[in-house]
Amino acid sequence: MPIPPTVVSLGLAGGQGKSTVALMLGRYLGRLGIPVLFVDCDPQSSLTSFLGVQVQPDTPTLLEVLTQPEEKTKILDAIASVPDVKLGDRTINNTNLFLIPSDDGLESANYKLASSGLSLFILRNRLQPIVSNFGVAIVDPPPERSHLAQTSLGAGDRWVIPAESNVKGVQSLLRTMELIKEFKTALPYGELLGVVPFRARWTGRHPTNATKTSIDTIRQLVGSELMLPHILESDVFKNAINQRVAPTDLGQPNLEYAIHVLAQRLKPALPEEY
Ligand code: ATP
């Protein structure tokens, strides 16, 4: 039986939408009944807090998973359930969502990964034996070229690159594509699903000039086939993240169109039952 895919949301700059895309893709797939394992590989631990998971002092996190031998830290012991959320008089059910959490202590994993000489494959090797318990794994890496970024890249067989719809986003995309190019021959199983222009600004029926120019540049860089729909700049997204739900739960499924299309691209890689 083919093993479930591991998606990595990549981007070599802060604020590009990595955590948002990882989070919303996982929530979207979870709503479809697909068990999702999130992996928070960023010491800023945005994903852990966006999912409302509290790291417990006596429970292993991704740090122990990456730095301790398997006999000492069982990866299954590091997996937390994502709590359900109360939204008015409704309960948003998160029974399909799971997370290997992190906190800022994860930063120290960089030294251990560097000295191992095997950064690229350590996370993949730890995830492979357990990913079949889920329908998909989704990794959120840090925004800089660290060993944690390398181990995230190597863990993925499907990559998605969110890039802000501005000059900084285009630069981040270029750096991210360079990173992929550098390691591609060592990662023959890796495939780029597409690029999501993030925080696109629209006034009325038209994009702003800066948004239009950057989206056109992104299209020229990656080609039309790899272009995914943009995510609009919107307070609804921010509110949804703060309330630990998705725009769909706030009555705005249209704002998740990019996530819907991304999920469709991922579909052939999902286990048959989904
Ligand atoms: P970092 O690497 O620094 O953690 P990131 O690439 O993971 O950043 P996110 O955390 O996903 O980026 O997003 C950056 C910020 O944008 C977050 O504060 C989030 O609340 C906000 N945000 C998410 N979606 C939208 C949106 N559609 N419109 C406006 N702001 C948004």
Side-chain angles (χ1 to χ4, degrees), residues 70-91:
E70 276 172 86
E71 312 78 71
K72 188 150 183 233
T73 298
K74 299 258 172 297
I75 187 167
L76 288 174
D77 293 341
I79 298 175
S81 297
V82 173
D84 292 343
V85 174
K86 275 265 175 227
L87 186 66
D89 52 9
R90 282 187 297 153
T91 300

Side-chain angles (χ1 to χ4, degrees), residues 35 64 109 116 127-128 148 157 170 183 232:
E64 288 76 27
S116 75
L127 288 176
Q128 288 298 291
L148 283 166
D157 35 54
V170 171
F183 291 105
L232 267 187

Side-chain angles (χ1 to χ4, degrees), residues 14-20 44 143 198-199 232-234 237-238:
Q16 297 303 305
K18 291 179 296 296
S19 306
T20 301
Q44 291 178 89
F198 180 59
R199 294 179 76 158
L232 267 187
E233 162 88 22
S234 161
F237 251 96
K238 286 198 227 170

Side-chain angles (χ1 to χ4, degrees), residues 217-272:
T217 309
I218 292 173
R219 182 175 287 104
Q220 277 166 20
L221 287 171
V222 301
S224 296
E225 289 208 340
L226 286 176
M227 278 310 272
L228 286 159
H230 59 265
I231 290 180
L232 267 187
E233 162 88 22
S234 161
D235 282 346
V236 176
F237 251 96
K238 286 198 227 170
N239 292 339
I241 291 170
N242 290 339
Q243 295 179 69
R244 301 197 181 126
V245 296
T248 297
D249 302 314
L250 300 179
Q252 301 264 15
N254 52 318
L255 288 177
E256 287 191 59
Y257 182 62
I259 302 297
H260 166 78
V261 175
L262 175 59
Q264 294 304 311
R265 286 206 181 177
L266 182 62
K267 211 159 180 249
L270 293 173
E272 238 171 51

Side-chain angles (χ1 to χ4, degrees), residues 27 30-31 82-85 91-97:
R27 286 202 183 285
R31 284 200 301 272
V82 173
D84 292 343
V85 174
T91 300
I92 307 298
N93 188 307
N94 287 326
T95 33
N96 289 324
L97 306 186

